[in-house]
Amino acid sequence: MPVISVPEDFHMEDLYVDLRSVLDAPLYLKCEGFNFAGSIKLKAASEMIADAERQGRLTRDSIIVESSSGNLGVALSMIAASRGYTFVCVTDTRCNLNTRRLMEAMGAQVHTITEPDPETGFLGARLDYVRQLCASDSRHLWLNQYANPCNWQAHYRSTAPAIAERFPDLDVLFVGAGTTGTLMGCARYFKDSGRPVTVVAVDSVGSVTFGGPPSPRMIPGLGSGVRPPLLDVSFVDDVVHVPETATIRVAHQLAAAGFLFGGSTGTVISGALGWLAEHRDGKSCTAVAISPDLGERYLDSLYQSNWVSDIYGSQALEAGPVWAH
């Protein structure tokens, strides 16, 4: 095992779960939650911070500011604490309480938006507040994960090559779509490599990322109320939209087998199962899905039966299909 001196230096890159043992599905799950930030967002956070430092935009007088539903905020809180920067995270009421406490424990200032924008939802309201902060004080530096190319470049340089090396015969890759940084980095890598890998984006029902109608979403991580500037659909081969009830059922099924993953993982696996059943049913196929984080931060929501019943109805946890048909 490595010996490290700063928390961002550790990330377990090569851990996969063979889901045939749990879901009887020909799918490998790449686990990205094993680092001190607890999620795949550490990669984008590290790249964006390093780039801002190289360009001289980030100095000791700077106040880093970012909009985040949770995981990137934790990653930036960790790096800011490690390097001595001030960080302000702008989030909203869907952010888990444990996540907000994690950020505050590491010294971050957390501002919670309580009212969504009528047209662009909570994300639009968060971005408006970030812009107001930057306009009010020139010390504020917005890293802007939604448009910063370092977001996708982090996965082009690390996540995708790691998958390619581990699975040289990869047929299909399933990637959740939030800011689309992970999706774009992986999709661009496999297109540039010339390998015939089908890249399938998995999005939440209610997200407008791929042109669907907006509707309320309660599980943070995937989906967006504003089309991400990073997205280039020419690199994406197919898109699956997953309702949050399917997300919950997959997450609970995995937890019952001892694998506690976050909401985004439930969404990605549900989308992957549905796509494989439709397009590869009975056919030999090497498929990988990316799991962004683990489940401890969702104990008061996704894994809390009263929370689930209040929002989705008591039938949400009843036996049923774990993917949309």
Side-chain angles (χ1 to χ4, degrees):
M1 295 297 289
V3 176
I4 64 171
S5 56
V6 291
E8 58 265 35
D9 280 352
F10 174 73
H11 182 85
M12 186 174 289
E13 187 73 78
D14 195 34
L15 177 64
Y16 297 82
V17 175
D18 185 346
L19 290 178
R20 287 176 295 185
S21 65
V22 183
L23 300 173
D24 193 27
L27 183 65
Y28 296 97
L29 186 66
K30 187 179 194 304
C31 303
E32 290 279 350
F34 291 96
N35 58 59
F36 283 99
S39 82
I40 196 171
K41 289 292 189 177
L42 176 59
K43 295 177 177 180
S46 297
E47 286 278 345
M48 291 190 296
I49 290 286
D51 179 69
E53 288 176 333
R54 283 193 300 269
Q55 294 186 24
R57 296 186 299 119
L58 178 56
T59 69
R60 292 299 169 192
D61 294 328
S62 299
I63 302 172
I64 301 169
V65 60
E66 186 57 275
S67 158
S68 171
S69 61
N71 281 337
L72 184 75
V74 172
L76 288 172
S77 298
M78 186 192 81
I79 296 173
S82 173
R83 301 192 185 187
Y85 293 121
T86 300
F87 172 54
V88 177
C89 181
V90 180
T91 189
D92 61 62
T93 54
R94 296 170 300 177
C95 179
N96 299 308
L97 178 60
N98 285 343
T99 300
R100 294 201 296 272
R101 287 174 172 169
L102 274 172
M103 291 188 279
E104 290 170 344
M106 290 184 282
Q109 302 170 34
V110 181
H111 180 86
T112 303
I113 298 295
T114 58
E115 293 295 331
D117 182 274
E119 295 183 0
T120 57
F122 275 113
L123 176 56
R126 282 172 13 205
L127 296 180
D128 285 344
Y129 186 81
V130 169
R131 294 185 184 101
Q132 291 170 19
L133 279 181
C134 293
S136 68
D137 188 336
S138 61
R139 292 177 299 166
H140 285 98
L141 174 65
W142 181 22
L143 296 174
N144 194 0
Q145 63 166 326
Y146 309 97
N148 193 325
C150 291
N151 188 344
W152 68 261
Q153 289 167 2
H155 303 287
Y156 189 98
R157 295 168 181 159
S158 61
T159 310
I163 295 171
E165 181 178 1
R166 181 63 180 80
F167 295 94
D169 57 346
L170 181 66
D171 295 304
V172 190
L173 178 64
F174 298 95
V175 189
T179 64
T180 69
T182 308
L183 173 64
M184 286 292 95
C186 291
R188 287 174 181 270
Y189 176 88
F190 283 109
K191 288 294 186 297
D192 288 351
S193 71
R195 294 177 54 170
V197 175
T198 299
V199 176
V200 180
V202 182
D203 199 9
S204 301
V205 169
S207 167
V208 305
T209 298
F210 295 95
S215 63
R217 292 170 290 107
M218 297 304 298
I219 300 175
L222 299 185
S224 181
V226 179
R227 182 183 171 90
L230 292 178
L231 178 63
D232 184 340
V233 294
S234 69
F235 288 95
V236 180
D237 297 303
D238 206 351
V239 180
V240 178
H241 285 88
V242 176
E244 290 189 329
T245 50
T247 295
I248 291 166
R249 286 171 180 160
V250 169
H252 280 255
Q253 190 169 342
L254 288 167
F259 289 108
L260 194 72
F261 288 106
S264 299
T265 301
T267 301
V268 173
I269 293 176
S270 178
L273 294 178
W275 193 94
L276 290 169
E278 181 178 353
H279 297 277
R280 295 289 192 273
D281 190 23
K283 300 177 183 177
S284 177
C285 174
T286 300
V288 171
I290 297 177
S291 166
D293 62 1
L294 302 177
E296 290 94 335
R297 295 173 191 173
Y298 303 84
L299 294 178
D300 291 332
S301 55
L302 183 66
Y303 293 105
Q304 219 289 328
S305 57
N306 289 338
W307 185 91
V308 172
S309 296
D310 288 346
I311 294 173
Y312 305 99
S314 58
Q315 73 282 358
L317 291 176
E318 295 175 358
V322 292
W323 67 83
H325 295 277

